[in-house]
Amino acid sequence: MWLLRPPGTGCFDKDQRRAVEVLFDAILPGDPRRPGAADADAAEYADRLLAMGPETDPEIPAWRLAYPVLLAALDTAAQQAHGGRGVAELDRAEATALLRDLAAGALPAWPADALAQPAAFALLRAHCIEGCFGDPRWGGNREAVIWRWYGYPTPAEPFVRPGTATAGRPGEDS
């Protein structure tokens, strides 16, 4: 029988973690009425996942090698495009544009030792989605926020981002 054994620490350093948070927020943004990657703490999922070993997923060692190169390359691209500001300092619109260029393979001076740009985007996107919609025991979907908003496993609950007064349910227009 396989048991989930969360690692004691994460894989990312402070700057990498912040960059992943910014990127994931751009991939699956929330708003006052709908939870997103930041609300689900999807970056925690990726951080924990990469700290696990190949017994959890045989691709983890490759991902653990890919992320630092990918994040450094994105940081360089962000600095070139935004006057020296790295990924961690981008707003959502700027991070979205960076990711759009990554997905299209349009970022200049991409390092040869990095994943191809569309594959790098696919990896970030997959881990973001897993971190938002997966079982909270894996570190993302904090307090099952996205499950609860969608009504799984109980009826949908309104989402109210702290500091706001409006609530939204799945299917409601903004």
Side-chain angles (χ1 to χ4, degrees), residues 29-91:
D31 63 33
R33 297 168 48 100
R34 293 171 183 84
D39 303 297
D41 198 8
E44 177 67 16
Y45 164 80
D47 203 3
R48 280 193 199 181
L49 178 68
L50 295 178
M52 294 180 188
E55 67 281 355
T56 302
D57 189 308
E59 294 187 67
I60 288 174
W63 294 334
R64 198 177 298 138
L65 294 173
Y67 261 89
V69 176
L70 163 64
L71 294 173
L74 285 172
D75 210 49
T76 297
Q79 290 170 3
Q80 291 171 348
H82 299 286
R85 290 184 298 125
V87 172
E89 301 167 287
L90 300 181
D91 64 29

Side-chain angles (χ1 to χ4, degrees), residues 108-146:
W110 192 252
D113 61 339
L115 288 173
Q117 291 183 49
F121 174 76
L123 178 65
L124 289 169
R125 182 177 172 266
H127 286 163
C128 177
I129 291 169
E130 291 168 14
C132 288
F133 292 91
D135 189 317
R137 293 177 297 173
W138 285 85
N141 195 10
R142 179 179 38 222
E143 298 175 4
V145 64
I146 297 211

